[in-house]
Amino acid sequence: MERIRCPLCGSNITNFEGTVKYVDLLNGMGDETYNQRICTCPKCNMAWTENTMNIDDLNNYYKYLSKYESLDVAMETDYSAQAMFLRQKEFIDQNIPAYSSVLEIGAATGGNLNLYKENGKEVAGIEPSSNNKRFAKEKYGIKLYDMTLDEYFTEYGSAKQFDVIFISHVLEHIVNFVEFIQKAVALSKKYIFIELPVLEKIEEEEAPFAAFTNEHVNYFSIHSLKMLMEKCGCCSIKTSIAENKEGVLPGYPTLVSLWEINKSDTEKISFEYSAGEMIRNYFKSNTEKVKRIQAVINTISDKEKLAVWGTGEHTSKLLAMTDLPSKNIIKFYDSDRKKRNMTMLGRQIQPFEPEDLESGEIETILISTYSSEKSISKYIEEQKINRKFRVIKLYS
């Protein structure tokens, strides 16, 4: 889907800032290559992906392939995820005097909503994944509607309203985000909570071009989010930047915000930083990161029997931006059960088998993930392999 004009203000005076390249992004289920074009608008400071997947493909992706689909108990009990849920609830409780009901759009497996349920609030969620719906019902007794917001609106309208509409790390995924917020406003009695990545902190990610993903089709600055919410009839209650103090969750720092509906904001909207300048600087610094990783890949001989651990976006970018595909890649490892029947570069994706190292079938493992590098490295060490092999870590 092409978005030539600015999706926020409609201006046709836009700037092309750069291209992020991917190879085999959907693990053998889609086009082999995808060149994501990033544009900015000098008028409203919005940034976006000009050439997104079509909306039906995106919706199917979130239902079946997204990393947020079918999250298991590990996500719900993980300290870092729970810390985020608790931080968000504290932010809401400190800035809203009273509320009794919460609707979360993009509710994952219900772990966040359960905090509000335990606090006596009425809760419900909209979530594309039927797997997540079943999990939320079985574990928490929480009802999720397994559909998109558009599908929910078509079926139920806005007859049922909630005090707080909760939208966390969702808006950056939505192609028609103005219409999305208008529907969220229609479902709200008074408040909307939004958390998302913020352009002003785009340089914080360590992995190259990590701020850009095929799932993120919008890149908001503080200014552009305020402009969107004012356009939809909302006034800012509180905005702040959340830091990742534990150093665990990717995607931090983020913008955390609360909005009141049907109330105008008299504060003049201005922006301190240019979205275009921020993204151009980001492309420059991340091109250097790719060169550093290429130097590591250069240490792999053409004859080394290589396994790449990780088949997500990180690997897709490395395959497109370095000469990793020219190496002797024997296998791709991934623990995600949804990928067992999928391929990358025509090779079957499979779980790691220690026997591969024991037998010498694999001589070198390249860990191709930033967020899980330490845990994967530790797991390999724990296998006590009785044969010499090499593990390549790109970030530690």
Side-chain angles (χ1 to χ4, degrees):
M1 178 178 176
E2 298 288 333
R3 296 195 293 175
I4 306 299
R5 300 171 68 93
C6 174
L8 176 55
C9 72
S11 173
N12 60 1
I13 304 174
T14 62
N15 298 321
F16 167 73
E17 305 296 355
T19 299
V20 184
K21 297 180 180 180
Y22 304 82
V23 167
D24 216 348
L25 179 62
L26 300 182
N27 303 128
M29 296 185 68
D31 292 338
E32 292 184 1
T33 62
Y34 171 49
N35 295 326
Q36 180 185 26
R37 301 194 300 269
I38 307 299
C39 294
T40 61
C41 175
K43 181 178 179 181
C44 69
N45 224 31
M46 184 68 199
W48 68 94
T49 296
E50 182 185 64
N51 57 324
T52 73
M53 298 165 62
N54 70 58
I55 294 176
D56 288 339
D57 287 345
L58 278 171
N59 288 339
N60 286 330
Y61 183 81
Y62 295 131
K63 288 181 179 181
Y64 306 116
L65 282 177
S66 170
K67 60 191 173 187
Y68 301 106
E69 194 272 340
S70 194
L71 296 172
D72 58 18
V73 177
M75 171 66 179
E76 301 304 332
T77 57
D78 179 70
Y79 169 78
S80 57
Q82 286 295 317
M84 179 179 71
F85 298 155
L86 289 167
R87 170 182 57 74
Q88 291 172 332
K89 186 174 185 300
E90 181 181 14
F91 181 83
I92 291 174
D93 290 344
Q94 287 178 345
N95 292 286
I96 295 179
Y99 63 99
S100 60
S101 59
V102 178
L103 172 69
E104 182 171 9
I105 304 174
T109 46
N112 175 59
L113 280 175
N114 191 52
L115 292 179
Y116 298 89
K117 180 185 176 185
E118 290 180 339
N119 198 222
K121 313 297 185 187
E122 176 192 358
V123 299
I126 298 173
E127 165 59 39
S129 166
S130 58
N131 289 328
N132 289 347
K133 175 185 177 180
R134 285 193 296 272
F135 188 98
K137 182 65 176 178
E138 292 170 4
K139 184 170 177 64
Y140 303 116
I142 291 175
K143 180 178 181 179
L144 301 184
Y145 297 88
D146 55 338
M147 54 183 64
T148 66
L149 177 60
D150 286 341
E151 291 168 341
Y152 177 91
F153 224 79
T154 297
E155 186 163 347
Y156 300 104
S158 58
K160 172 68 175 175
Q161 293 182 316
F162 296 79
D163 293 332
V164 178
I165 305 300
F166 188 101
I167 306 169
S168 176
H169 295 273
V170 171
L171 196 57
E172 63 269 29
H173 299 257
I174 306 300
V175 174
N176 298 319
F177 58 81
V178 175
E179 180 183 343
F180 179 92
I181 290 298
Q182 289 170 340
K183 289 177 178 177
V185 167
L187 292 170
S188 174
K189 291 180 181 178
K190 196 162 188 181
Y191 304 110
I192 295 179
F193 170 89
I194 296 175
E195 179 168 331
L196 41 62
V198 60
L199 269 179
E200 282 83 352
K201 295 288 185 176
I202 193 173
E203 283 287 358
E204 299 292 331
E205 293 278 7
E206 178 64 25
F209 294 98
F212 299 120
T213 82
N214 76 300
E215 294 191 25
H216 290 186
V217 298
N218 310 306
Y219 303 94
F220 287 93
S221 64
I222 295 172
H223 170 271
S224 59
L225 180 63
K226 285 185 175 180
M227 185 171 177
L228 166 64
M229 298 308 290
E230 184 176 271
K231 184 174 185 175
C232 296
C234 297
C235 171
S236 173
I237 297 175
K238 176 80 172 180
T239 58
S240 68
I241 301 293
E243 303 287 346
N244 187 17
K245 296 180 180 178
E246 298 300 323
V248 179
L249 284 173
Y252 275 69
T254 61
L255 179 62
V256 190
S257 62
L258 267 171
W259 309 85
E260 187 172 350
I261 70 168
N262 299 326
K263 187 175 181 181
S264 60
D265 198 335
T266 57
E267 180 184 356
K268 184 179 179 181
I269 301 175
S270 61
F271 53 90
E272 183 177 353
Y273 303 100
S274 159
E277 184 177 358
M278 286 187 285
I279 290 179
R280 286 190 293 274
N281 289 337
Y282 183 81
F283 267 92
K284 183 178 179 179
S285 64
N286 279 262
T287 298
E288 293 302 312
K289 291 180 182 179
V290 173
K291 290 179 180 178
R292 182 187 65 78
I293 289 177
Q294 178 64 64
V296 176
I297 292 173
N298 288 342
T299 69
I300 305 172
S301 74
D302 293 340
K303 293 183 179 180
E304 270 180 89
K305 291 180 280 187
L306 178 66
V308 176
W309 193 322
T311 61
E313 280 199 358
H314 184 278
T315 299
S316 177
K317 289 171 183 170
L318 292 192
L319 292 173
M321 298 180 184
T322 71
D323 68 359
L324 180 59
S326 71
K327 300 302 178 180
N328 185 27
I329 303 174
I330 306 297
K331 294 185 177 184
F332 284 94
Y333 295 138
D334 202 299
S335 59
D336 189 340
R337 291 188 295 270
K338 299 191 302 297
K339 295 183 178 181
R340 294 293 160 82
N341 295 319
M342 298 181 184
T343 62
M344 196 159 219
L345 293 187
R347 298 159 180 81
Q348 195 78 23
I349 297 171
Q350 62 184 69
F352 168 67
E353 295 290 348
E355 291 78 9
D356 292 345
L357 294 173
E358 292 278 8
S359 67
E361 183 181 0
I362 297 299
E363 298 172 325
T364 302
I365 294 177
L366 171 67
I367 303 177
S368 181
T369 167
Y370 171 67
S371 60
S372 300
E373 182 180 81
K374 291 181 181 179
S375 60
I376 290 174
S377 177
K378 182 179 178 181
Y379 179 76
I380 295 172
E381 289 177 6
E382 291 171 348
Q383 303 310 302
K384 310 293 184 185
I385 306 298
N386 295 315
R387 190 183 181 100
K388 187 177 180 180
F389 64 94
R390 182 159 72 121
V391 175
I392 298 175
K393 296 179 284 186
L394 298 174
Y395 302 106
S396 59

